Amino acid sequence: MPAAAPPPRPSESIPDVLAPARLGPVRLRNRIIKAATFEGVTPDALVTDELIEYHRRPAAGGVAMTTVAYCAVAPEGRTQRAQLWMRPQALPGLRGLTAVVHEAGAAVALQLGHAGPVADARSNRLPSLSPMGGFNPVSLRRDRAATREDLERVVRAHASAAQLAVEAEADAVELHLGHNYLASAFLSPRLNRRTDAYGGTLPNRARLALDLARAVREQVGDRIAITAKLNMTDGVRGGLSLDDSLQVAHWLQEDGSVDALTLTAGSSLLNPMYLFRGEAPLKEFAAQFPLPQRIGLRTLGRSFLRAYPYEPLYLLEHAQKFREALTLPLILLGGITDREGMDRAMAGGFAFVAMARALLREPDLPRRIGQAPHTRSRCTHCNRCMPTIYTGTRCPLIGPR
């Protein structure tokens, strides 16, 4: 069988991934975005020097924009207590972070969202919210079914958080509509069996996601860019389907509420490795928990941390369906580690690419790719970085910072 033809090189019709580009009202120095990955260095739910340094490194390393994750819009919306949440006390630290990243030549996005059933109520000392209520495997407590008043408050909180992002001189916000966080949980038929205006039909299940995106656009206008991270599929039986996700993407496009979509997949609640691919670091995850939970994880964890083979551009097949159906700029995520993959994304019509794990090991990878296009990432996709979120997210293969 003859070898597959190499992807086309950038031309007049195919953008150069390393050339400047516009994202809504923002001009970026290239088309490489550092994807949101929880940093694990905000013990008081405020910006720290460690958080600033975490984002300075990829900014100095050549990305166009780095994404601060995860900026919860409400205290109960944190995945755990030691996580940044958006309130006036956070503003001075956020301004310091944006100033440092801007000085390094990159833009800053703040990822806004509400963790919903992915929140650890025990850690937050506040009830977690979900579409239906019930037992939560994250906190081993019961969720509270979100009321209409809760959801209207969450929508307002997104708008307020976006306003704080403007005041912090951030360049963009990313709305978290994926991974079965609150908005994504409402989109899921498996998790949302409500019979009110927020359940049942897809327009009802999408109401929260669409409302919060509209509220953010109304609040900030075109002062900053607005993107959304949307699940293409939950990766679980009975979850959000590709067809339903495509329809939600169409509604977001018609509303004009976002400038681009980041296409993602998987459920932090039910099937996290569907997003990450590669090895499932069960032993390392179990070591982070007290003894009873540790034993349970090591015994039953393979049903939760299911391993999926890693391959380059592993979300491309699904993402191409969105590219064919939409005119909205799209950001391709998943298995992008080299110039070849970036060029394939550009040739496929994607406006930007997003990188995460590879930048933990080599924050200067984009700059080095620009200097030597055949540069290869040293990331092994072992996913042992994932359990380090409890002690400061890093690549364990290069030791502590």
Side-chain angles (χ1 to χ4, degrees):
M1 180 180 294
R9 300 299 294 171
S11 67
E12 291 184 4
S13 60
I14 300 174
D16 181 351
V17 72
L18 296 178
R22 293 202 70 84
L23 174 60
V26 180
R27 182 173 174 82
L28 301 178
R29 65 183 175 189
N30 60 52
R31 295 173 181 268
I32 304 172
I33 296 171
K34 188 209 170 295
T37 48
F38 178 50
E39 304 91 348
V41 289
T42 54
D44 298 316
L46 294 167
V47 173
T48 60
D49 290 344
E50 290 80 7
L51 183 69
I52 293 173
E53 176 62 13
Y54 183 101
H55 288 281
R56 185 201 65 79
R57 288 194 298 268
V63 300
M65 184 165 70
T66 184
T67 309
V68 181
Y70 157 81
C71 305
V73 300
E76 83 283 353
R78 295 171 285 177
T79 59
Q80 46 107 331
R81 191 172 182 83
Q83 189 172 62
L84 183 67
W85 68 279
M86 299 293 281
R87 74 272 199 208
Q89 296 95 312
L91 191 53
L94 288 169
R95 284 177 173 155
L97 187 153
T98 58
V100 168
V101 172
H102 289 159
E103 185 177 359
V108 182
L110 305 183
Q111 186 188 67
L112 307 180
H114 191 293
V118 181
D120 186 342
R122 178 180 299 181
S123 173
N124 288 336
R125 301 169 200 166
L126 292 165
S128 52
L129 301 178
S130 67
M132 304 299 298
F135 179 75
N136 187 315
V138 174
S139 62
L140 304 181
R141 296 185 177 187
R142 291 187 66 82
D143 287 331
R144 182 166 64 80
T147 65
R148 176 184 288 270
E149 290 73 22
D150 288 324
L151 300 177
E152 291 172 348
R153 171 178 60 84
V154 167
V155 169
R156 293 193 301 271
H158 277 80
S160 297
Q163 177 60 38
L164 280 176
V166 171
E167 295 173 19
E169 300 186 8
D171 304 279
V173 291
E174 178 183 71
L175 309 179
H176 201 325
L177 308 182
H179 306 165
N180 286 164
Y181 282 44
L182 188 62
S184 174
F186 270 83
L187 285 170
S188 167
R190 174 166 173 166
L191 297 176
N192 181 0
R193 300 183 301 280
R194 294 166 71 116
T195 57
D196 65 356
Y198 291 92
T201 65
L202 182 60
N204 283 358
R205 288 186 281 116
R207 188 181 305 277
L208 176 61
L210 298 176
D211 282 354
L212 67 87
R214 291 170 186 144
V216 167
R217 176 61 80 189
E218 183 176 352
Q219 179 67 45
V220 305
D222 61 359
R223 289 180 289 169
I224 59 176
I226 303 171
T227 70
K229 177 171 277 187
L230 178 67
N231 260 21
M232 296 182 288
T233 171
D234 291 346
V236 295
R237 183 176 298 176
L240 181 69
S241 70
L242 195 68
D243 287 344
D244 280 0
S245 180
L246 269 168
Q247 181 59 66
V248 175
H250 270 292
W251 287 330
L252 289 166
Q253 177 175 278
E254 291 165 4
D255 281 352
S257 54
V258 298
D259 296 303
L261 287 177
T262 298
L263 301 173
T264 189
S267 167
S268 296
L269 191 67
L270 301 171
N271 192 9
M273 295 307 299
Y274 191 82
L275 167 62
F276 291 99
R277 310 297 168 95
E279 298 177 37
L282 181 59
K283 178 181 177 182
E284 289 82 359
F285 258 120
Q288 304 299 321
F289 291 89
L291 189 61
Q293 291 167 280
R294 188 185 313 163
I295 293 172
L297 266 173
R298 297 194 70 165
T299 303
L300 303 172
R302 288 295 172 200
S303 63
F304 174 63
L305 289 176
R306 299 193 288 274
Y308 292 87
Y310 175 87
E311 60 182 5
L313 304 180
Y314 53 80
L315 294 181
L316 179 59
E317 183 178 354
H318 282 340
Q320 283 174 326
K321 299 182 185 302
F322 286 73
R323 181 63 292 156
E324 292 164 4
L326 302 168
T327 59
L328 192 66
L330 300 179
I331 303 167
L332 184 65
L333 173 72
I336 297 165
T337 62
D338 56 27
R339 182 64 193 259
E340 180 182 356
M342 295 174 184
D343 287 344
R344 284 184 62 191
M346 296 296 104
F350 295 91
F352 299 90
V353 294
M355 305 175 72
R357 287 169 290 180
L359 294 176
L360 289 178
R361 183 157 190 178
E362 299 172 282
D364 64 343
L365 185 58
R367 176 173 54 79
R368 289 172 41 239
I369 286 174
Q371 295 168 344
H374 297 294
T375 298
R376 296 291 175 182
S377 168
R378 298 189 184 99
C379 180
T380 65
H381 322 294
C382 67
N383 291 318
R384 287 168 55 199
C385 54
M386 293 171 62
T388 69
I389 63 173
Y390 302 103
T391 54
T393 306
R394 63 193 182 279
C395 173
L397 301 184
I398 59 175
R401 288 191 295 270

